[in-house]
Structures are given as C-alpha cells and as structure tokens.
Amino acid sequence: MSARSVDRVGDYTVEIAVSLSVDNPDDPAMAPIVQKLVDLIAGSPDFRLSSATRTYSYSESMTPTA
C-alpha cells in the first residue's frame, strides 16, 4: 500500500509505503483485517491512498538430497 501525505515538507508531500507480511495468508479472517487498514488510510483526511494491492507467494526451504 502506498499513500501521500496531505501536509507538505517544503514543496513535497511525504510518500509512505507499507508492506504487510502474515503467517497464514490463506486464513479467511486475514483479508478483512488488512482491508480495515486500507480503509483507515483511504478515509483519513491526512493522507491520499495511491495504491493498494494484494499478492500471494509461497516459499519453502529445500535441502539437497544425498
């Protein structure tokens, strides 16, 4: 998720990027929690939501066979 501040520092807004990492992204309870964060930023008078995306990847450590 990325957002820009409404307030400026000199001539510039402040860019904020947030990345969330969860232990169990397949849990149905996870999406509504993350959506609440997106809605909180989007509804804030202090920030303008630039983008919000959801991606999924799976990784597992592997060892060589003997």
Side-chain angles (χ1 to χ4, degrees):
M1 175 174 55
S2 64
R4 288 185 320 276
S5 65
V6 170
D7 294 337
R8 294 182 168 277
V9 177
D11 292 334
Y12 303 97
T13 58
V14 177
E15 291 284 333
I16 298 170
V18 177
S19 176
L20 303 170
S21 179
V22 297
D23 289 337
N24 188 359
D26 291 328
D27 190 315
M30 195 58 61
I33 293 170
V34 174
Q35 186 65 53
K36 285 180 184 181
L37 179 60
V38 172
D39 293 345
L40 179 69
I41 297 299
S44 171
D46 299 315
F47 296 96
R48 297 293 175 255
L49 185 67
S50 302
S51 66
T53 59
R54 180 177 180 211
T55 59
Y56 177 84
S57 67
Y58 175 80
S59 65
E60 181 177 340
S61 297
M62 298 179 69
T63 58
T65 55

